[in-house]
Amino acid sequence: MLGRPAVLAASLVVAAVGILVALLGPSPASGRATPDRTPAPAPSPASPTAVDRAAVVATVDEVPLTAGELRRSAVRLRAEVVAEFPIAGARADYWRTPIAGRTPHVVLWERSLRAAVGEAVLRRWARQTGVSTDPSEAGFRARLDAENARRAAARAQGRPMPGVPSYDEDGFARNEVAELSASLRESLAGQVDLSESRLRERYAELLAAVPPSAEAPPFDQARERLRLDLLSAAFDRELARRVAAAHVVPLPNADTVVRAAE
């Protein structure tokens, strides 16, 4: 079993002054799972080696999770861990030195696995819903290569394309996750109360959280954002439920992948 659900709408309510204006876009599904009763890896004395992206580093409901997926999460989260646990002393010892009782390596390992599992669950849900067809790492790589080839061909022909000239792994993964999340969110529309009365009720709830000095948009202007807010909350709950129900088994080589990203 896994945990750590996150509800984007709630965080927006308490964090934003222009609260109703801020309710835009899909919730990021960047990882909502943590292995339950799974011990963190002991630091390995071996030096990091090249990562075989196709290697299986864990299973999620008996479906392989590859080194490529885990490495992408570790690279993305590395800066977050360093910011939380500032480097002091010899840099070579940083990842293995306990800070407040935990080593940065173990924290990065846990968070990277959480994020990779959450994304894997999201991609499988998208396939089950018909939003996408191939949630595997090989499918991801093929789509990344095809998109970059398409952009390169457009540049060669002098055709402008919106966005970046080419995607790196993390940027493409983030873009895909955002698109899948938006599609899955909309797929829940038939299961969520989006009636006029519910939208007005939600408007009143959010309005109560806005400081008296702030100006909130009128209901008619906020209607679509309120709809997205309710759908996003339903999306978060369903993703958290699926992640919590997932059975995750990390393999020993997962530690090597995370160490290579440090």
Side-chain angles (χ1 to χ4, degrees):
M1 296 289 290
L2 301 170
R4 196 194 171 208
V7 180
L8 176 64
S11 64
L12 287 172
V13 167
V14 299
V17 173
I19 190 86
L20 298 177
V21 179
L23 290 171
L24 291 170
S27 330
S30 58
R32 304 156 191 270
T34 184
D36 186 27
R37 296 182 298 278
T38 301
S44 170
S47 298
T49 56
V51 172
D52 176 5
R53 294 177 180 275
V56 177
V57 296
T59 58
V60 184
D61 293 330
E62 301 184 353
V63 177
L65 182 75
T66 67
E69 295 170 278
L70 181 61
R71 182 184 184 280
R72 203 156 50 239
S73 294
V75 169
R76 184 172 68 244
L77 292 168
R78 182 187 185 280
E80 174 187 300
V81 173
V82 171
E84 187 172 334
F85 298 90
I87 295 176
R91 187 180 184 89
D93 299 330
Y94 169 72
W95 291 101
R96 312 291 174 258
T97 302
I99 302 175
R102 308 189 75 207
T103 67
H105 169 72
V106 168
V107 174
L108 180 61
W109 184 90
E110 292 175 347
R111 293 183 186 178
S112 300
L113 184 61
R114 258 202 313 267
V117 168
E119 185 173 319
V121 170
L122 174 76
R123 290 181 182 279
R124 289 215 315 273
W125 178 16
R127 182 187 60 181
Q128 294 164 0
T129 311
V131 170
S132 67
T133 57
D134 188 352
S136 70
E137 179 68 2
F140 169 81
R141 297 293 310 182
R143 290 190 299 275
L144 170 60
D145 292 344
E147 178 60 22
N148 281 339
R150 186 174 74 90
R151 290 176 176 273
R155 287 197 307 274
Q157 297 169 11
R159 291 187 290 108
M161 292 191 69
V164 296
S166 64
Y167 282 104
D168 59 15
E169 281 190 43
D170 188 52
F172 190 71
R174 285 173 180 266
N175 189 61
E176 275 207 336
V177 164
E179 291 178 351
L180 294 176
S181 298
S183 296
L184 288 169
R185 182 189 64 199
E186 287 300 325
S187 74
L188 297 173
Q191 306 171 38
V192 178
D193 182 1
L194 299 174
S195 63
E196 182 78 4
S197 60
R198 178 64 184 112
L199 292 177
R200 289 188 177 277
E201 179 184 39
R202 184 59 178 152
Y203 179 77
E205 293 169 358
L206 295 177
L207 198 61
V210 176
S213 59
E215 280 191 36
F219 172 78
D220 286 342
Q221 291 182 15
R223 184 189 301 274
E224 179 58 21
R225 292 167 185 152
L226 293 165
R227 175 182 175 276
L228 293 178
D229 175 36
L230 293 174
L231 286 174
S232 292
F235 167 84
D236 283 330
R237 289 192 298 270
E238 177 59 16
L239 181 60
R241 183 192 69 78
R242 288 171 178 264
V243 169
H247 178 59
V248 180
V249 180
L251 302 179
N253 58 339
D255 182 54
T256 302
V257 173
V258 174
R259 291 183 72 237
E262 292 173 353

